[in-house]
């Protein structure tokens, strides 16, 4: 169980702070339940209500600073899943986002960089699906890493490059 003030990561939303833990009925017909009240760090006006006993939980503890640096150093070794079929690739991207696993986000980003370069060499632009998932994965990953290591999100690409250089795979 998490506490008020803890930072967690919600699948498809990203880093949130637990603003409160409340008991309430969300609808007239629903029973009273205990909920985490989450505020996304990139949208302080939003409020998300997540049952504290949700199975499987779609929130997890945010990476610690040590875990974030370990993930950054491991980026060159994280495998990518190359999928030719566009529909299957989108399904893999969706599953990776739902998994709420930062290593899966790295895999998507690495996959996209390779795909973008290939398409560019063929004189083609990135597909809208690839572009959309790339931006989502990058935002989710960089926001969490930046919060964990205490830097700005827009600096994460430079931090990764400084840490692992050309071995990033992107």
């Amino acid at each position: 169980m998490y506490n008020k003030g803890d930072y967690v990561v919600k699948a498809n939303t990203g880093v949130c702070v637990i603003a409160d833990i409340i008991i309430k009925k969300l609808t007239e017909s629903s029973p009273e339940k205990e909920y985490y009240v989450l505020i996304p760090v990139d949208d302080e006006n939003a409020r998300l209500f997540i049952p504290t006993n949700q199975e499987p939980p779609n929130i997890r503890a945010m990476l610690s600073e040590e875990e974030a640096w370990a993930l950054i150093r491991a980026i060159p070794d994280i495998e990518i899943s190359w999928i030719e079929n566009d529909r299957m690739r989108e399904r893999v991207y969706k599953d990776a986002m739902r998994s709420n696993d930062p290593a899966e986000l790295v895999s998507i980003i690495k996959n996209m960089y390779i795909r973008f370069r290939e398409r560019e060499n063929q004189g083609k632009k990135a597909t809208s699906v690839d572009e959309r998932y790339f931006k989502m994965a990058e935002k989710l990953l960089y926001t969490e890493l930046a919060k964990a290591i205490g830097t700005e999100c827009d600096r994460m690409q430079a931090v990764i490059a400084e840490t692992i250089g050309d071995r990033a795979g992107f």
Side-chain angles (χ1 to χ4, degrees):
M1 180 138 175
Y2 301 106
N3 298 305
K4 186 176 174 178
D6 287 350
Y7 283 92
V8 295
V9 180
K10 183 185 176 302
N12 295 318
T13 301
V15 178
C16 301
V17 64
I18 297 177
D20 207 352
I21 301 172
I22 61 170
I23 297 175
K24 77 181 276 178
K25 292 173 80 165
L26 286 185
T27 65
E28 195 60 40
S29 61
S30 67
E32 279 192 343
K33 285 185 183 178
E34 186 175 53
Y35 293 90
Y36 295 118
V37 181
L38 305 182
I39 300 175
V41 296
D42 60 355
D43 185 2
E44 294 179 5
N45 294 320
R47 299 291 180 271
L48 306 171
F49 297 89
I50 306 296
T52 59
N53 64 348
Q54 186 174 22
E55 287 295 329
N58 66 353
I59 62 173
R60 63 171 171 78
M62 187 180 82
L63 294 174
S64 68
E65 182 176 2
E66 297 79 25
E67 291 167 331
W69 283 114
L71 178 66
I72 291 168
R73 287 188 298 273
I75 286 173
D77 301 321
I78 294 174
E79 297 290 323
I80 64 166
S81 301
W82 187 255
I83 297 143
E84 283 295 324
N85 182 292
D86 288 343
R87 288 185 192 164
M88 282 297 297
R89 190 171 48 256
E90 184 175 11
R91 186 176 310 143
V92 168
Y93 295 162
K94 283 181 182 178
D95 290 346
M97 296 298 205
R98 278 189 221 116
S99 77
N100 204 9
D101 179 353
E104 290 290 327
L105 298 176
V106 170
S107 180
I108 288 174
I109 294 167
K110 286 176 71 169
N111 191 32
M112 292 297 173
Y113 271 102
I114 292 167
R115 185 156 164 77
F116 291 162
R117 269 188 265 146
E118 276 189 0
R119 290 187 65 83
E120 187 179 303
N121 290 340
Q122 297 168 355
K124 299 178 181 178
K125 291 185 178 185
T127 67
S128 61
V129 169
D130 287 344
E131 190 73 35
R132 182 173 29 131
Y133 282 100
F134 175 75
K135 286 179 181 176
M136 286 190 314
E138 212 175 33
K139 180 182 176 208
L140 291 171
L141 179 67
Y142 290 177
T143 301
E144 181 174 7
L145 291 175
K147 185 78 175 157
I149 67 172
T151 192
E152 297 298 317
C153 188
D154 59 359
R155 286 226 349 96
M156 279 316 303
Q157 200 167 27
V159 168
I160 291 169
E162 290 165 7
T163 306
I164 59 177
D166 293 347
R167 300 178 319 114
F170 54 86

